[in-house]
């Protein structure tokens, strides 16, 4: 199977920002681990990160027909981007919403996701393991 892991706004700073919440590993290090994990299970994976809402929408559009699944951590866009929600709804590739932190145990504004309804499922609260679990959900 072939997967795409998309990280949204501010996630390029993973390992450098709010280490108590998001850990000390950089996004590049996390992605390297995910690449090895997918390879070990006989799958392919590609990665994309952007801080720009429209670029994330365009990447989702371009993913149509090319992947078996998408793991999406949209960062703060999760909580208000109707554009991203519509982009997910516009494609047939299943998307798993993913968060490193337990957004349900944080500020009130993080408890609402405008994406969940158009995603296949949601994984949250397991740090970098959230990405592994989201990927695994496609083949288990
Ligand atoms: C996040 C949670 C969001 O609320 C936050 O804005 C992020 C990261 C997570 O991975 O826990 O940037 O998506």
């Amino acid at each position: 199977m072939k997967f795409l892991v998309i990280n949204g706004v501010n996630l390029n700073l993973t390992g450098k920002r709010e280490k108590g919440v998001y850990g000390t590993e950089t996004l590049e290090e996390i992605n390297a681990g995910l690449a090895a994990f997918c390879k070990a299970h006989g799958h392919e994976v590609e990665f994309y990160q952007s801080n720009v809402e429209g670029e994330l929408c365009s990447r989702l559009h371009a993913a149509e027909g090319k992947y078996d699944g998408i793991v999406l951590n949209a960062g703060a866009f999760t909580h208000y981007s109707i554009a991203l929600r519509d982009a997910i709804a516009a494609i047939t590739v299943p998307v798993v919403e993913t968060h490193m932190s337990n957004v349900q145990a944080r500020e009130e504004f993080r408890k609402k996701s405008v994406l969940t309804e158009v995603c296949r499922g949601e994984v949250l609260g397991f740090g970098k393991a959230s990405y592994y679990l989201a990927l695994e959900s496609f083949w288990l």
Side-chain angles (χ1 to χ4, degrees):
M1 296 175 103
K2 189 170 175 184
F3 305 111
L4 176 64
V5 176
I6 301 180
N7 278 281
V9 62
N10 295 318
L11 286 151
N12 56 309
L13 298 179
T14 303
K16 298 165 194 145
R17 67 157 179 161
E18 299 184 79
K19 294 179 185 176
V21 180
Y22 303 116
T24 54
E25 263 187 80
T26 65
L27 189 61
E28 291 69 29
E29 289 167 340
I30 291 171
N31 286 348
L34 296 174
F37 181 65
C38 284
K39 195 175 176 194
H41 285 87
H43 304 297
E44 285 177 59
V45 64
E46 292 176 7
F47 301 94
Y48 181 75
Q49 190 277 328
S50 176
N51 294 316
V52 182
E53 187 182 22
E55 287 180 0
L56 294 164
C57 291
S58 295
R59 191 65 191 86
L60 284 163
H61 300 166
E64 180 66 332
K66 300 201 176 78
Y67 301 94
D68 297 293
I70 296 171
V71 170
L72 172 65
N73 183 351
F77 289 143
T78 303
H79 311 298
Y80 65 89
S81 176
I82 307 302
L84 267 183
R85 177 195 170 109
D86 287 350
I88 296 165
I91 62 172
T92 59
V93 184
V95 176
V96 173
E97 180 181 340
T98 306
H99 302 284
M100 285 188 279
S101 65
N102 180 355
V103 286
Q104 295 302 326
R106 298 181 65 192
E107 300 94 331
E108 214 46 49
F109 63 84
R110 291 187 207 278
K111 293 182 182 170
K112 171 73 186 163
S113 165
V114 297
L115 309 182
T116 312
E117 281 178 356
V118 292
C119 287
R120 173 179 279 187
E122 185 186 18
V123 180
L124 55 93
F126 298 103
K128 70 170 182 178
S130 291
Y131 293 105
Y132 286 80
L133 296 168
L135 279 166
E136 266 191 324
S137 74
F138 289 114
W139 71 74
L140 284 182

